[in-house]
Amino acid sequence: MVAGGTGALALLMTGCSIGGEGKLASGGSDTTVTITPANGTAQVKPDGTIEVKASGAKLRNVTVQGGGAAISGNYGDGRKTWRSTRTLTPGTSYTVTAQAGDGGKARTVTSSFTTLKPAQTLSIADITPNVTGEKVGVGMPIFVRFNRPVADKAAVERTLRVSPEKPVEGAWRWVGSDQVIYRTKTYWQPHQTVRFQADLAGVNAGGGVYGAKDAQATITIGAAQITTGDIGDHHMTVTRDGEKLRTVPFSAGNGQTREFTTTSGVHLLMEKGNPVTMTSPGRKEGDPGYYKTVVNYAVRFSNSGEYVHSAPWSVGSQGSANVSHGCLNVSPANAKWFYDVMQRGDVINLTGTDREVEWDNGWSVWQLSFDKWREGSALR
């Protein structure tokens, strides 16, 4: 409902009337209650403000009923005024009910109005991660993709809130006109819930586009699973919450070309598949270097085709030589084990080659310093 405090008046609406005493429901004292927008007003801009003023008595209660986002507000001037504190849902009917005074002298006034239905609205098309029951790793970013390009990125970014149970600093970075990514300064603390909320309904996103509705997601951070590997040493070690789980021998890219060189840097595990068909990028059947191979227990860690996967054909080289096309080849038993424990967003930090993974190659967002990362915010 409502809370004490003050608010700033920012009335933005269309229609002939900007205020009125609304519709009297009960009472007959000298108390006057004025509600803006006035009763019957149409085409109210969604980023407008509802304002209630009382004279002759204090406001006892103000409620706003309507579809879409719940509308709250603040009292001011010794409970003589009330103003809404958030935007309204487009194309929606609202009824404001205000009570002022006490006992038999109490007055109740209502005002019903409708908001503008814009030709175009902005909504969130996808939030990642947002799979029910999934636990993700401590490196996991939050990806938000909109249904159309965002003209006023700052206005939209102000509506986005990330609330972890174990607080940590973070920032948004726009990676295009329709996508923004949230990354923390340090890894999430493990074993917690993170809540994402976008109070998007009614926000003026620029160019006559308004936010269509709010959105939310609940993200569960699992164990802190960190894999570190030296490509020259041909081994990687997997830890969980600081405890060693297993050291796995591998065979990495042979390094004969840049394409066949496994990238160094901080990667995140992105997805897994069993089986996955691997094909040579940019080549067709009959071209030199063409290959098409089906592999089992494949865990992706970049967009340039790098996986940890089962490779029974290279077991003799695993732990001693790099003979792959860029993936980390491991034994079938180790591949299944890694596949089974993997969480999206787990960290895999590889060293030992001169090919650094680009920060936007897959989910390798930790390749940027946090200061550089937040330069991509519209609110910097």
Side-chain angles (χ1 to χ4, degrees), residues 101-151:
D102 295 307
K105 295 184 178 180
R107 170 172 284 222
T108 300
V109 173
T110 64
S111 178
S112 296
F113 62 90
T114 57
T115 53
L116 172 73
K117 185 176 183 179
Q120 295 181 323
T121 57
L122 181 74
S123 60
I124 291 178
D126 180 73
I127 303 167
T128 298
N130 192 25
V131 177
T132 301
E134 180 186 25
K135 293 182 179 180
V136 298
V138 295
M140 188 75 205
I142 301 174
F143 301 86
V144 176
R145 182 170 54 83
F146 298 93
N147 67 325
R148 64 177 66 254
V150 178

Side-chain angles (χ1 to χ4, degrees), residues 241-305:
D241 294 335
E243 299 293 325
K244 177 181 172 181
L245 295 182
R246 184 177 294 196
T247 295
V248 177
F250 63 75
S251 180
N254 60 41
Q256 294 176 0
T257 64
R258 186 176 187 276
E259 177 186 342
F260 293 162
T261 302
T262 304
T263 58
S264 292
V266 181
H267 311 72
L268 296 179
L269 303 183
M270 301 169 61
E271 62 177 350
K272 58 184 179 180
N274 182 39
V276 170
T277 300
M278 304 278 184
T279 57
S280 48
R283 293 179 176 87
K284 62 181 183 295
E285 191 171 359
D287 289 346
Y290 172 82
Y291 61 85
K292 182 177 181 180
T293 305
V294 177
V295 302
N296 293 322
Y297 302 114
V299 179
R300 179 192 286 270
F301 60 89
S302 81
N303 273 348
S304 52

Side-chain angles (χ1 to χ4, degrees), residues 32-367:
T32 300
V33 178
T34 303
I35 300 174
T36 304
N39 189 54
T41 305
Q43 300 293 317
V44 174
K45 289 187 177 179
D47 55 340
T49 301
I50 301 171
E51 183 179 31
V52 181
K53 293 182 178 180
S55 62
K58 294 181 179 180
L59 290 166
R60 292 177 57 192
N61 191 37
V62 177
T63 61
V64 182
Q65 294 180 316
I71 306 300
S72 59
N74 289 335
Y75 291 102
D77 191 22
R79 294 184 74 92
K80 293 292 185 67
T81 64
W82 182 94
R83 293 186 180 93
S84 57
T85 53
R86 66 148 301 154
T87 49
L88 309 171
T89 300
T92 300
S93 297
Y94 286 97
T95 297
V96 183
T97 302
Q99 294 176 321
D102 295 307
K105 295 184 178 180
R107 170 172 284 222
T108 300
V109 173
T110 64
S111 178
S112 296
F113 62 90
T114 57
T115 53
L116 172 73
K117 185 176 183 179
Q120 295 181 323
T121 57
L122 181 74
S123 60
I124 291 178
D126 180 73
I127 303 167
T128 298
N130 192 25
V131 177
T132 301
E134 180 186 25
K135 293 182 179 180
V136 298
V138 295
M140 188 75 205
I142 301 174
F143 301 86
V144 176
R145 182 170 54 83
F146 298 93
N147 67 325
R148 64 177 66 254
V150 178
D152 192 339
K153 293 182 175 65
V156 170
E157 189 175 328
R158 287 189 191 98
T159 74
L160 309 179
R161 299 199 311 274
V162 177
S163 304
E165 290 178 330
K166 303 174 183 179
V168 62
E169 185 179 358
W172 293 97
R173 181 182 183 90
W174 291 86
V175 295
S177 60
D178 65 347
Q179 188 174 34
V180 64
I181 305 173
Y182 186 86
R183 201 207 89 183
T184 47
K185 185 176 183 179
T186 58
Y187 297 147
W188 301 106
Q189 289 294 308
H191 309 293
Q192 64 164 316
T193 297
V194 177
R195 289 180 170 80
F196 165 77
Q197 175 72 29
D199 292 337
L200 191 61
V203 169
N204 189 338
V209 177
Y210 289 90
K213 60 183 179 179
D214 292 354
Q216 51 278 315
T218 300
I219 301 160
T220 302
I221 308 297
Q225 297 188 159
I226 310 290
T227 299
T228 56
D230 185 334
I231 294 169
D233 187 50
H234 320 292
H235 286 80
M236 63 183 182
T237 298
V238 183
T239 64
R240 176 184 291 155
D241 294 335
E243 299 293 325
K244 177 181 172 181
L245 295 182
R246 184 177 294 196
T247 295
V248 177
F250 63 75
S251 180
N254 60 41
Q256 294 176 0
T257 64
R258 186 176 187 276
E259 177 186 342
F260 293 162
T261 302
T262 304
T263 58
S264 292
V266 181
H267 311 72
L268 296 179
L269 303 183
M270 301 169 61
E271 62 177 350
K272 58 184 179 180
N274 182 39
V276 170
T277 300
M278 304 278 184
T279 57
S280 48
R283 293 179 176 87
K284 62 181 183 295
E285 191 171 359
D287 289 346
Y290 172 82
Y291 61 85
K292 182 177 181 180
T293 305
V294 177
V295 302
N296 293 322
Y297 302 114
V299 179
R300 179 192 286 270
F301 60 89
S302 81
N303 273 348
S304 52
E306 295 172 302
Y307 290 76
V308 178
H309 67 77
S310 173
W313 58 85
S314 70
V315 168
S317 298
Q318 292 165 20
S320 60
N322 292 326
V323 299
S324 85
H325 291 133
C327 292
L328 298 187
N329 289 180
V330 299
S331 71
N334 281 327
K336 183 179 185 307
W337 175 82
F338 191 75
Y339 183 95
D340 288 343
V341 302
M342 169 266 179
Q343 304 170 135
R344 288 199 300 170
D346 283 347
V347 176
I348 178 166
N349 189 356
L350 300 175
T351 58
T353 68
D354 59 2
R355 183 185 175 188
E356 285 285 316
V357 65
E358 302 85 356
W359 75 266
D360 55 354
N361 182 350
W363 294 356
S364 303
V365 297
W366 295 93
Q367 286 294 95

